[in-house]
Amino acid sequence: MRQDIGSSEPQPPFPDRAGFIGPDAPGPEVTASEMLERYKLAVTLTPVPALLVDAEGMITATNEALDRLFLYPSRALIGQNIERLVPLSSQHRHPALRQAFNTRPSRREMGQGREVHGQRADGSFVPVEIGLSPIPLGDELLTFTTVIDISERHMGERRLREALDAAATAMVLVAPDGTIELVNTAACQLLGGFSAEIVGRDVDTFVPREHRLKHAVFRQSYLSAPRPRAMTDANNLRVVGLDGQETPVHIALTPINGVGGQRIMATLVDLREILAQERALAMQNAQLSALNEELTQFAYSASHDLRAPLATIAGLLELCLEDLSDGEIDECTRNISEALKTSRRNIHKVEQVLTLARAGLEAIDLETVDLVEATAAIWDDLSCGGLDKPAFCIVASGPVCFEVERPTLLTVIENLLSNACRFQDRAKPFSWVELRILDRPDGVELQIRDNGVGIPEADQARVFEMFRRSGSSSGHGLGLTLVQKHVRRLNGTIALDSSPEGTRFTLSLPLRRSQ
């Protein structure tokens, strides 16, 4: 048979009917056996690994590239069943799949979107993509099959995944239609699931329900003009994991152009730890501010309140020197006694200042405290400076046992009860003190009330300052300052309401109920 090598209108010897390869059906002068030889030649000349398989699954032709890929000697696969190249785990179901293809033959590709492996002569596996092209040959059906080794691609994808998994931030690759195509390990942890549970879902499902409609609109708007963009927490961005937990995040969007069209890489930074650090820093700043205020007050007091007693002591000692020179021993003794009283009184005052300065520095373990039992014990031990104790009652409207720093809380209660005892109103028929324990969603509220003389309105704004005393007080003026400092240590607040009818201190404390 003569071949016109230089013909301007070459006629490829492959049919192209009903989805089959080749432009024209073979003329009646070409026999089926001649066509088969042409197809075998095509397999041999194909630059990629290829083979020809008949309807029974028998391999009728291979090329050198395919033999090398599957580690077989040249032409050793001819006459073998195609299942020889299928992994053992899939061999039992491959004949049924092959028969289904023969029933409705069409061009198709295998290996895109799912893992497909071929089995080599030595039992090893190679990841592949397979192209199938059916060829009718008389009453028979052949399948022209190409096999592409995608090991390098898999290695690149594996390296990319390893690089993504090494990142500390969550990374999510999203298709234009919103489908999640890739997540790294940090994203799985943030979204509360495995990769297989997350990939394939719509990204909108991880947006808080009340924002999903807007998010879909924003996403489409972004795709119309994609550019690298950072989305800060100014909008209070949150993602919802598969477990329903919402997490505040910072999001950066980066468009990626590649095979299959444009994708969006979303980088998510979990802000929980950052926000917790900011809250801790704000708390530390508040504590430092309070400490600075205390130091300012102490400096003021040291220059005023403590200077006067020292001047008194110095004056008394000068009198003693004069009395000694005049031989007035009795007068000298009396002045020395007065100097000692003043010294001891102010030594006690300094000790109280040191106690206040140390308050809140030591770490204290939490204990379960029964407020009713602990308060009753405090009341039993209180002295009222020579006055009769007022009537006392405890009213509770909820839990009374809490996890708390016992000495911190009990010092607060003791100081407030002591003040209620000391500032009784003798003009009233009888005196009473009451503790109310009120349940609150965020902890507990304690109210300590009395019907005493009250605190003058002019003093109420500065009642928690150091050395601040009412006109009838003989104390050192540090009790309520210590109370406020302990309440702050417990992350609570204290409020005052006072009038001539009595006084009420209200403590709001975020205490955890004891189980």
Side-chain angles (χ1 to χ4, degrees), residues 376-417:
I378 289 173
W379 184 259
D380 289 342
D381 293 338
L382 278 181
S383 62
C384 292
L387 299 175
D388 293 334
K389 277 187 179 180
F392 179 62
C393 70
I394 300 175
V395 179
S397 65
V400 298
C401 293
F402 297 89
E403 297 290 330
V404 68
E405 295 179 359
R406 173 184 288 270
T408 305
L409 179 59
L410 298 192
T411 298
V412 170
I413 295 175
E414 181 177 357
N415 273 276
L416 294 178
L417 292 180

Side-chain angles (χ1 to χ4, degrees), residues 82 89 98 120 126 155 199 208 231 316 363 385 463 472 494:
I82 188 64
S89 61
R98 180 164 44 80
R120 289 170 160 155
V126 56
M155 183 176 295
V199 172
M231 302 170 66
L316 290 171
V463 73
S472 59
I494 182 170

